[in-house]
Amino acid sequence: MSLFSTQLSDIEKALEQASSYAEYRDACLAHDALSGANEWKAKDPCRDYDYRLIRKRVQRIKLAQSQHDIPALMSILHEGLHGNLGNIANPELLTHSKIGTKHLIQEFIDQVVSALEQIYTADEDVVDFYDKLTFFEETAHAYGRSCLMLSGGAGLGFFHCGVVKSLNEQNLLPSVISGASAGSIIGGMLATRTHDELLESLSAEFIYEHFKNWRLWGGLGNKSLLDSRALENTLIALFDLMTFEEAYAKTGRHVTVTVSPADLHQYSRLLNAKTSPNALITQAVRASCAVPMLFTPVQLKAKTADGDIVPYIPNRRFADGSIMADLPFQQLARLYGVNHSIVSQTNPLAVPFLTGARSHAKTLTSMTLRHISQLAKANSIFAFDIMEQLVPNRGGKLAIHKIRSVIDQQYVGNINILPDKQIRNLMQVVANPTLDSIKTLIESGERATWPQLDVIRRNTLISETLRNKLRALKQREARLFEHEPV
């Protein structure tokens, strides 16, 4: 074996054995330096993106900045700024290096952020305050934003803790988040806890102390196999009587909990500060965790202006959110303008069939397999539609309808974070956890997130800059209104 191969092999071992993101990142940088990836990054031309367009856009932005021409800068950004300009978010670009991307792409992103800062701080004798506000409102809306979606997964859902822990430590948590079933528990924690509070709440010891006995056997003679009292008590301890609106006021995060109806002729619901501001997070999460047969469906609750707790959507009960809306991307897009998704996926119905590949299928075999799977899915949905029409009794129709909903869903996003194969153990799905099993799941979540952190930072930097500046301008506007004479 050559010296080069030995060194590369040693670095790959360091990647596998890294105990922190800092160690992992250093090993990635060393690998790219030795493998030749740095030379690839330094060369602009590549068939995976439109380097001429990006180069020209960088030149135009630099020229306007050097001339302090703020109106021209606003026009350049307004006319052509979107998340995948010139295909710079092409997954194929991620296959050439362990970390980072083309220097030209990084320069473009940095130049846009610099331009946004220059526009924000521009003299308001040159650019009126309300022109700035309009620019940032329109550009932020057009550019879109990222969301984090946490899937169902029962006992495997503690994997999400590691994902969220890594994102939180790197200040990369999107402000739009959804959680279904087990994911709704972590979503609820994100809704109700600040950055610093999350550092404690996402520890293995904290999670174990609260969920060590979530599975209590209820018996065959009851309406459900498991007794929900331990889970309910834990959720009350975590979220108390906080509403979605109160949680948003505390953390500023748009957190959605998905629930599925327990009857026919109803669709999944997204509970959040926009759609159901007064709904209690505790009951929403409890409903989202109500896996059919394991737990009974739940009556949602809300808080009145006087602080009284009352039924929410009376006469309706709700169950496991992952049945009909494991990853509610389209609904989040309508509500919050998201157009890019980060998915932490632990759903035992989906994970065995997914891979962590960073590129699209492009060989004849892989494309054929993808086409066959799409045909199988379409045919299955058609078959369940026929069966639902033919089955006469209501219970049978409901069961078929829910199975169809499970098959019809999309279980992946733009960036997918999946557990290692060795922890995709169905025994963990309904088992009470041990402290060691929770530590393993959290560490697995962290390690699975590390390769994606650089990509997430790059993909979210412009959108977060736009929204931070917009938020600051709106705060200034609010202060201006406060001091206006009546």
Side-chain angles (χ1 to χ4, degrees):
M1 184 181 288
S2 66
L3 177 61
F4 171 80
S5 298
T6 301
Q7 290 177 325
L8 210 56
S9 178
D10 289 343
I11 293 173
E12 286 169 356
K13 286 180 183 176
L15 282 170
E16 294 174 2
Q17 297 170 2
S19 59
S20 67
Y21 177 62
E23 287 184 14
Y24 176 85
R25 186 175 184 278
D26 287 344
C28 285
L29 292 171
H31 192 284
D32 284 355
L34 189 62
S35 67
N38 284 351
E39 286 75 11
W40 174 84
K41 295 176 193 176
K43 295 176 182 176
D44 293 350
C46 179
R47 64 182 181 181
D48 294 329
Y49 78 115
D50 190 342
Y51 69 91
R52 292 184 181 88
L53 172 65
I54 301 303
R55 184 190 288 163
K56 185 66 177 177
R57 192 56 56 101
V58 169
Q59 291 169 351
R60 290 182 63 194
I61 294 172
K62 281 184 174 180
L63 179 62
Q65 283 190 287
S66 66
Q67 296 174 343
H68 302 285
D69 190 344
I70 304 302
L73 204 53
M74 293 167 73
S75 176
I76 292 167
L77 296 184
H78 204 287
E79 76 182 23
L81 185 62
H82 61 82
N84 196 19
L85 181 69
N87 210 22
I88 61 175
N90 184 356
E92 294 298 325
L93 289 164
L94 305 177
T95 63
H96 298 280
S97 61
K98 291 291 184 182
I99 196 168
T101 187
K102 288 286 188 182
H103 292 170
L104 177 62
I105 294 175
Q106 189 62 56
E107 182 184 14
F108 167 72
I109 294 169
D110 293 340
Q111 207 66 49
V112 168
V113 170
S114 171
L116 292 173
E117 182 66 35
Q118 190 171 354
I119 293 167
Y120 176 76
T121 57
D123 191 326
E124 288 175 6
D125 290 333
V126 177
V127 181
D128 181 74
F129 170 80
Y130 285 101
D131 288 339
K132 283 187 189 179
L133 182 60
T134 300
F135 166 79
F136 278 99
E137 281 181 332
E138 292 178 351
T139 309
H141 178 74
Y143 189 82
R145 66 205 301 191
S146 295
C147 66
L148 171 65
M149 296 188 287
L150 308 172
S151 76
L156 292 178
F158 300 121
F159 172 87
H160 298 316
C161 294
V163 175
V164 169
K165 186 169 179 281
S166 287
L167 293 172
N168 186 54
E169 288 173 350
Q170 298 296 318
N171 294 310
L172 291 175
L173 268 176
S175 56
V176 178
I177 299 158
S178 75
S181 196
S184 72
I185 297 174
I186 311 305
M189 293 172 69
L190 287 167
T192 57
R193 283 161 171 75
T194 63
H195 175 279
D196 291 341
E197 289 170 340
L198 282 173
L199 296 177
E200 176 190 351
S201 299
L202 294 173
S203 69
E205 291 75 15
F206 182 92
I207 296 296
Y208 174 70
E209 187 60 34
H210 284 79
F211 291 97
K212 59 187 175 183
N213 293 314
W214 74 270
R215 189 199 70 163
L216 287 177
W217 179 249
L220 296 174
N222 297 313
K223 293 182 179 179
S224 61
L225 294 176
L226 300 182
D227 187 332
S228 64
R229 285 176 295 180
L231 179 60
E232 288 171 352
N233 290 337
T234 292
L235 298 180
I236 291 169
L238 288 174
F239 311 127
D240 197 22
L241 298 178
M242 189 174 284
T243 66
F244 283 96
E245 185 175 54
E246 291 166 345
Y248 176 72
K250 177 181 178 180
T251 66
R253 297 192 187 102
H254 299 281
V255 175
T256 290
V257 171
T258 66
V259 294
S260 301
D263 55 5
L264 284 169
H265 312 303
Q266 294 286 320
Y267 294 94
S268 63
R269 285 183 177 267
L270 271 62
L271 306 173
N272 53 52
K274 282 193 173 187
T275 63
S276 47
N278 299 320
L280 296 184
I281 292 176
T282 295
Q283 289 301 105
V285 173
R286 167 68 182 86
S288 192
C289 291
V291 180
M293 292 175 44
L294 295 183
F295 292 117
T296 54
V298 175
Q299 165 71 70
L300 299 175
K301 299 288 180 64
K303 186 191 294 184
T304 67
D306 296 327
D308 297 326
I309 306 303
V310 297
Y312 184 73
I313 315 178
N315 305 320
R316 289 280 181 251
R317 293 185 177 273
F318 294 88
D320 191 346
S322 65
I323 292 175
M324 299 182 74
D326 199 39
L327 306 177
F329 181 74
Q330 291 183 344
Q331 297 97 314
L332 293 178
R334 289 196 296 269
L335 283 168
Y336 300 110
V338 302
N339 55 2
H340 178 268
S341 60
I342 303 161
V343 172
S344 178
Q345 180 56 268
T346 61
N347 193 317
L349 298 176
V351 166
F353 306 101
L354 303 176
T355 68
R358 304 178 90 185
S359 60
H360 297 306
K362 55 185 178 180
T363 66
L364 181 60
T365 301
S366 59
M367 288 190 291
T368 301
L369 290 173
R370 182 180 62 185
H371 180 62
I372 291 171
S373 67
Q374 290 171 344
L375 285 176
K377 178 177 179 178
N379 289 334
S380 298
I381 292 169
F382 174 72
F384 279 109
D385 284 341
I386 296 297
M387 284 191 285
E388 188 175 342
Q389 295 299 317
L390 294 177
V391 170
N393 68 82
R394 184 181 180 84
K397 283 181 178 291
L398 181 61
I400 292 170
H401 183 72
K402 291 191 180 301
I403 295 171
R404 182 202 183 280
S405 297
V406 170
I407 295 172
D408 194 27
Q409 292 187 62
Q410 178 77 1
Y411 290 100
V412 294
N414 298 104
I415 295 174
N416 301 292
I417 304 173
L418 309 173
D420 292 332
K421 289 183 179 179
Q422 59 263 34
I423 74 160
R424 302 181 192 185
N425 187 340
L426 291 179
M427 292 302 295
Q428 294 188 58
V429 173
V430 294
N432 280 325
T434 64
L435 181 58
D436 285 342
S437 71
I438 290 178
K439 284 182 177 178
T440 298
L441 282 166
I442 292 177
E443 288 172 7
S444 176
E446 290 182 87
R447 295 188 65 83
T449 308
W450 292 345
Q452 306 293 353
L453 289 174
D454 183 67
V455 185
I456 293 169
R457 181 177 285 107
R458 196 161 53 246
N459 288 356
T460 59
L461 183 58
I462 293 175
S463 64
E464 288 304 307
T465 301
L466 281 165
R467 294 192 178 274
N468 287 339
K469 301 305 181 189
L470 177 59
R471 191 180 304 114
L473 288 169
K474 286 188 172 181
Q475 288 171 350
R476 278 186 60 198
E477 182 185 36
R479 290 195 296 270
L480 288 172
F481 278 128
E482 286 175 4
H483 293 93
E484 275 190 0
V486 179

